[in-house]
Amino acid sequence: MSGERAKLDASAYLVLGMIRMGARSGYEIKRAVDSSLRFFWTISPAQIYPALALLTRVRLIEGKSEPTGKRRRQTFVITPAGKAALRKWLAQQAPIPFELRDLALVKLFFADALDLEDALALLNAVRKRSEARVAELRAIEPAAEARERKGDPFPLLTLQMGIVFHQAMLDACLQFEPRILAVSKRPAGTPGVDP
Amino acid sequence: MSGERAKLDASAYLVLGMIRMGARSGYEIKRAVDSSLRFFWTISPAQIYPALALLTRVRLIEGKSEPTGKRRRQTFVITPAGKAALRKWLAQQAPIPFELRDLALVKLFFADALDLEDALALLNAVRKRSEARVAELRAIEPAAEARERKGDPFPLLTLQMGIVFHQAMLDACLQFEPRILAVSKRPAGTPGVDP
DNA sequence: TTCTCCATGTAAGTAGTTACATGATTGG
DNA sequence: CCAATCATGTAACTACTTACATGGAGAA
């Protein structure tokens, strides 16, 4: 049996993937994630640095000290074993559950408890949030398009997904506003877990 | 100052909201969440029961023992203070960050590391997942429509959002398949965190 | 009788965030 | 010289899941 067979968690693979894409230090990984992957995954230094240590220990990445003047700096590169491990993880056929946790949608679900004005304000806030997110995503589109021109269309694909599904949420908000007004003669507060 | 002013976490408000909607026991809350809210929030018994205890302590709900034969059962109702607390939380104007954590999109983001066949398989898996989710959501649509007819359109609204945004992801998969084929002459593995 | 559902609860573990500590470098 | 940024790291905390323990009721 060759090498340690520690099983890595999602954060470790994320770090490994970012190293492969060219992020060199922990700091760069944080920056890169914040400016691209952020929309469907986040990571904090408290996860990055232990992950880098672990990946180094199992020889999936290799680090060396590259200080800028007296400011210390560890840079890493992915090893052949690292590339293989990343590919294996990516190609794994196990179904990946889709998990969205969004308090705004929870609130909207319960919005029957609010009076019309507050309910519409909430709907508005949800719509505005998606509008803002679409704008943010559009702003980083040029970078993703440049990457596609270099032969990697996947960052653009994931970016597009972010855009289209926020656009879809936004459209749903617009579409429902009149329907909420339509039923607003209701006696507020009818129970109904099992309709 | 009247009553305890414990600040509740999201799970506690979720439990409170479900009690208001007519779920009576911890068990019923679990069932109700699993069949409606599940698509944007989940909860486990290990969160529900402590939340029920807390909400009772601060008098936002009231419980009584209602055994079925010898099978014990605590049922709860929301108090006026509970309704007020729920409304206050729902109406709160604080911006709610949208946080999606989806490993499938992370994998897709990194899919450049895969050969064409595996990358397309991954794209396919993502598409199938959204198709399955749309089907699941369509299946519970009648219940949400019934609830709308009773004067509460919000469960249907949130359900529609789930449908449209999975539909949007699905469309993006379809749209990108040819584009991935188009760039597949690429020399795999070009780095590019900062393009 | 045995399986599934109803029903309540907890202990232990995992994952992740926040807040902090430390210190160098660059640009205004 | 001061603020922002580069850069690494940890301790404590919060949130959530998994696995388990317990046991009654109804149906096949």
Side-chain angles (χ1 to χ4, degrees):
Chain A
M1 206 172 291
S2 68
E4 260 183 273
R5 219 167 257 302
K7 63 169 179 204
L8 310 175
D9 61 20
S11 303
Y13 282 110
L14 178 59
V15 167
L16 187 59
M18 290 316 293
I19 296 280
R20 181 192 158 277
M21 282 192 98
R24 285 162 302 178
S25 63
Y27 188 81
E28 280 185 17
I29 291 169
K30 175 65 178 150
R31 298 270 313 236
V33 170
D34 283 352
S35 68
S36 56
L37 264 170
R38 164 168 54 114
F39 304 102
F40 30 92
W41 206 271
T42 59
I43 195 165
S44 66
Q47 288 171 280
I48 292 172
Y49 291 102
L52 285 170
L54 172 62
L55 290 168
T56 303
R57 225 158 47 237
V58 298
R59 317 249 179 239
L60 299 183
I61 60 176
E62 246 167 37
K64 64 174 170 181
S65 184
E66 276 197 350
T68 316
K70 268 179 203 164
R71 188 200 284 158
R72 69 180 165 155
R73 181 151 173 270
Q74 275 274 318
T75 59
F76 299 88
V77 287
I78 192 165
T79 64
K83 285 184 187 175
L86 181 63
R87 267 196 302 270
K88 192 179 163 188
W89 177 69
L90 291 174
Q92 213 176 83
Q93 292 283 176
I96 307 160
F98 180 86
E99 274 170 56
L100 171 63
R101 281 186 164 255
D102 187 8
L103 228 38
L105 292 184
V106 172
K107 284 190 175 188
L108 217 42
F109 182 83
F110 288 137
D112 183 47
L114 292 173
D115 54 45
L116 185 61
E117 191 192 357
D118 285 337
L120 289 176
L122 180 57
L123 188 68
N124 237 272
V126 170
R127 200 197 73 233
K128 290 237 165 93
R129 187 184 65 160
S130 278
E131 279 169 358
R133 182 53 62 97
V134 167
E136 272 185 281
L137 291 165
R138 292 257 185 239
I140 58 171
E141 222 175 356
E145 281 165 351
R147 182 117 186 103
E148 190 192 30
R149 267 176 258 120
K150 285 187 180 172
D152 178 7
F154 294 102
L156 184 59
L157 164 58
T158 50
L159 184 69
Q160 287 297 330
M161 281 193 173
I163 291 172
V164 295
F165 87 58
H166 272 103
Q167 191 62 53
M169 281 181 71
L170 206 158
D171 293 341
C173 287
L174 256 20
Q175 191 217 309
F176 256 83
E177 197 165 333
R179 287 173 78 166
I180 290 163
L181 287 163
V183 292
S184 72
K185 298 233 143 171
R186 78 205 136 103
T190 319
V193 163
D194 294 309
Chain B
M1 209 171 290
S2 68
E4 260 182 271
R5 223 170 250 302
K7 64 170 177 204
L8 310 174
D9 60 20
S11 303
Y13 283 109
L14 178 58
V15 166
L16 187 60
M18 290 315 292
I19 295 279
R20 183 195 157 273
M21 282 191 98
R24 284 162 302 176
S25 63
Y27 188 82
E28 280 185 16
I29 291 169
K30 175 64 177 152
R31 297 270 312 240
V33 170
D34 284 352
S35 68
S36 56
L37 266 169
R38 165 168 52 115
F39 303 101
F40 30 91
W41 206 271
T42 59
I43 195 165
S44 68
Q47 288 171 278
I48 292 171
Y49 291 103
L52 285 170
L54 172 63
L55 291 170
T56 302
R57 226 162 40 239
V58 297
R59 319 248 181 239
L60 300 182
I61 59 175
E62 245 167 38
K64 64 173 170 181
S65 184
E66 277 199 349
T68 316
K70 268 180 203 163
R71 188 201 282 156
R72 69 180 167 155
R73 182 151 172 267
Q74 276 273 319
T75 60
F76 299 88
V77 287
I78 192 165
T79 63
K83 284 183 187 176
L86 182 64
R87 268 196 302 270
K88 193 181 164 187
W89 178 67
L90 292 173
Q92 211 175 86
Q93 292 283 177
I96 307 160
F98 180 86
E99 274 171 54
L100 171 63
R101 285 189 157 251
D102 186 7
L103 229 37
L105 291 184
V106 173
K107 285 191 173 186
L108 217 43
F109 182 84
F110 288 138
D112 183 48
L114 293 171
D115 53 44
L116 184 60
E117 191 191 356
D118 285 336
L120 290 176
L122 180 57
L123 188 66
N124 237 272
V126 171
R127 202 197 71 236
K128 289 234 165 93
R129 186 184 64 160
S130 279
E131 280 169 358
R133 182 52 62 97
V134 168
E136 272 184 279
L137 291 166
R138 292 258 185 238
I140 58 172
E141 222 175 357
E145 282 165 349
R147 184 120 185 100
E148 191 191 30
R149 266 175 259 120
K150 286 187 182 171
D152 178 7
F154 295 101
L156 184 59
L157 165 58
T158 51
L159 184 70
Q160 287 298 330
M161 282 194 172
I163 292 173
V164 296
F165 92 55
H166 272 102
Q167 190 63 53
M169 279 182 73
L170 205 160
D171 293 342
C173 287
L174 256 21
Q175 190 218 310
F176 256 82
E177 197 166 331
R179 287 174 79 165
I180 289 163
L181 287 162
V183 293
S184 72
K185 298 231 146 177
R186 79 207 135 104
T190 319
V193 164
D194 294 309

